[in-house]
Amino acid sequence: MLRLPIYLDHCATTACDERVVVEMLPYFTQYYGNASSRNHAFGWKAQAAVEEAQQRVASLVGAAPGEIIFTSGATESCNLALRGISTLYAGTGNHIITAKTEHKAVLDTCRDLERKGMEITWLDVDLNGQIDLQALRAAIKPTTILIAIMWANNETGVIMPAAEIGRIAGEHQVLFFSDATQAAGKIPIDVKAAGLGVMAFSSHKLYGPKGVGALYISHRHPRVKLAAQITGGGQQQNIRSGTLNVPGIVGFGRAAAICRETMAGEATRLQLLRNKLEDALLQVPDVYINGRSSERLPHVCNASFGYLNSNEILAGLNKDIALSSGSACTSGSLDPSYVLKAMQLPDPLAKAALRFSLGRQTTEEEVAYVIRHVTQTIESLRKSSPAWQLRD
Ligand SMILES: *Cc1c(COP(=O)(O)O)cnc(C)c1O
């Protein structure tokens, strides 16, 4: 039986997996110790659970357990990376290179750092959402301390060439930070092969609980240090103080382990469904798949519907299908997506985009329903649209 509404907003957040919840529960009521309590069994139990989670999260991305710092989410991880490195490397330089299509957690933090005296280069992207590696190379100066480029974009699913960026960063002895929140748990990530110094990701985007994130901080090749942004009890190697969120961290660990086991099969399954959806949407006139020529996440489809706007389409669909026009953090605004604008989409198409993001619960039956419902809605909205009738 098909149950409505259908959830197609997995880039905004995912349902916590039942197995994750089951593993978390005892850490609320039974094993509630403070992981920093060194003197009794409650503390030891919590500490052991945190260490196991660290191992699971680390092995999802090819890191060593000690290289994982737990935070409250990817937003905090991005802040810790950008602010922590800017502060500690202030004697070396003040220049950061990033791209115009980054998530707000990176963009707004860079903007704030710019106000405080850092110099930021905002790289353009091409029609496919890709940065120009020559432009990246050319932007590096003696004062450059960090390249901050996301692994995969949250609106379009476009995957950036992390390994090439890492190589360029390494050649110039500049640190490479990546916001991998959309990629972690969905496609293989190897922080060492990509030459990453720091990487942010989040539990709730990979079927774990909300309010937990991770920052990978490389210990060797390169050895990265950063200045703590939250000070206090000295937990987590003095990099991020505060009592550890043990149940959340345990859940994150289990979620990471499940993703690691199921990633390959899920990516194949979802890519088939996503492609089926895209092939059907492309049958409708004046529909464009944004970033289609790029390598993309297998479960994401960002489509623009000519002669319409996102909000009217969403209003026609939202009763039955939960999806968004782009990032959850910018939804509700009438401005066109800055990501699609940076990809040089004309304004009318940037304002007419929908993001379909599939996930673990998505079924073939749901996708068939979505195809029918979306194509019918587009046709009926266009019938009553003067712009559509006046097109040449
Ligand atoms: C969701 C997301 C974030 C923010 O993550 P939170 O854990 O919700 O703070 C940052 N970057 C990207 C690319 C995201 O998709």
Side-chain angles (χ1 to χ4, degrees):
M1 240 329 262
L2 190 67
R3 276 206 297 176
L4 298 176
I6 293 165
Y7 189 74
L8 282 190
D9 208 7
H10 289 84
C11 283
T13 194
T14 55
C16 202
D17 192 290
E18 300 278 0
R19 293 164 285 181
V20 167
V21 178
V22 166
E23 192 151 332
M24 288 171 72
L25 282 176
Y27 290 90
F28 287 101
T29 50
Q30 204 176 343
Y31 311 129
Y32 48 81
N34 185 323
S36 304
S37 295
R38 297 281 151 83
N39 303 314
H40 52 69
F42 291 86
W44 304 331
K45 177 75 182 169
Q47 175 59 19
V50 168
E51 278 171 14
E52 187 186 2
Q54 226 173 358
Q55 235 157 42
R56 288 168 148 182
V57 170
S59 76
L60 180 67
V61 297
E67 295 176 315
I68 298 295
I69 295 289
F70 291 112
T71 65
S72 64
T75 301
E76 186 192 327
S77 296
C78 291
N79 271 266
L80 174 55
L82 293 161
R83 295 179 195 278
I85 287 170
S86 301
T87 306
L88 208 80
Y89 291 75
T92 312
N94 71 335
H95 180 225
I96 295 176
I97 302 169
T98 187
K100 290 182 176 168
T101 51
E102 291 291 309
H103 189 273
K104 291 276 183 183
V106 170
L107 281 189
D108 282 10
T109 306
C110 284
R111 258 185 224 129
D112 184 52
L113 290 169
E114 193 172 39
R115 278 192 295 271
K116 290 172 173 157
M118 297 291 293
E119 189 194 347
I120 314 286
T121 297
W122 313 88
L123 293 176
D124 289 314
V125 298
D126 63 18
L127 298 163
N128 298 314
Q130 292 293 338
I131 57 161
D132 176 353
L133 292 173
Q134 285 313 319
L136 169 64
R137 233 186 220 113
I140 298 173
K141 336 191 245 194
T143 54
T144 308
I145 53 170
L146 186 66
I147 295 170
I149 303 285
M150 68 198 330
W151 199 292
N153 185 271
N154 48 296
E155 290 191 28
T156 57
V158 164
I159 296 173
M160 292 295 194
E164 277 92 335
I165 297 168
R167 196 168 316 126
I168 293 170
E171 282 165 15
H172 294 83
Q173 297 186 357
V174 170
L175 287 179
F176 175 26
F177 159 61
S178 189
D179 173 359
T181 311
Q182 291 294 342
K186 314 296 166 59
I187 55 171
I189 290 184
D190 184 331
V191 288
K192 305 293 175 194
L196 277 163
V198 233
M199 187 179 84
F201 52 116
S202 187
S203 157
H204 77 95
K205 301 276 174 86
L206 48 82
Y207 308 93
K210 291 169 182 58
V212 202
L215 186 66
Y216 155 76
I217 305 175
S218 171
H219 279 179
R220 292 199 306 157
H221 314 301
R223 173 158 183 76
V224 179
K225 296 209 165 170
L226 45 73
Q229 301 300 305
I230 296 178
T231 49
Q235 289 90 344
Q236 304 200 78
Q237 307 160 44
N238 238 332
I239 291 169
R240 204 274 193 178
S241 281
T243 299
L244 288 164
N245 170 7
V246 178
I249 289 167
V250 165
F252 189 6
R254 182 66 199 269
I258 296 171
C259 283
R260 187 161 173 256
E261 282 162 24
T262 58
M263 184 190 303
E266 268 298 272
T268 308
R269 186 182 77 87
L270 293 178
Q271 185 158 21
L272 271 169
L273 292 179
R274 191 273 312 267
N275 290 351
K276 199 178 251 188
L277 171 65
E278 288 189 349
D279 290 346
L281 293 178
L282 287 170
Q283 300 293 308
V284 182
D286 288 295
V287 175
Y288 308 88
I289 306 297
N290 299 312
R292 192 156 186 253
S293 320
S294 271
E295 200 187 331
R296 285 182 298 152
L297 294 173
H299 58 287
V300 183
C301 161
N302 186 302
S304 286
F305 300 86
Y307 304 95
L308 296 171
N309 72 62
S310 315
N311 285 345
E312 65 180 330
I313 313 172
L314 286 176
L317 292 175
N318 265 357
K319 201 163 56 64
D320 290 349
I321 310 173
L323 68 157
S324 69
S325 54
S327 158
C329 313
T330 43
S331 73
S333 114
L334 286 172
D335 295 339
S337 144
Y338 66 85
V339 172
L340 298 179
K341 287 291 286 174
M343 290 164 72
Q344 298 146 55
L345 246 74
D347 243 50
L349 286 180
K351 286 182 179 173
L354 295 185
R355 177 187 66 188
F356 302 83
S357 46
L358 288 59
R360 197 173 281 166
Q361 287 85 10
T362 307
T363 64
E364 198 164 345
E365 194 188 12
E366 286 183 339
V367 171
Y369 179 90
V370 168
I371 288 171
R372 277 199 310 278
H373 196 46
V374 172
T375 49
Q376 279 165 11
T377 303
I378 298 300
E379 274 161 24
S380 90
L381 285 171
R382 279 178 174 169
K383 262 186 208 135
S384 53
S385 146
W388 174 255
Q389 273 138 29
L390 291 172
R391 79 194 186 281
D392 29 85

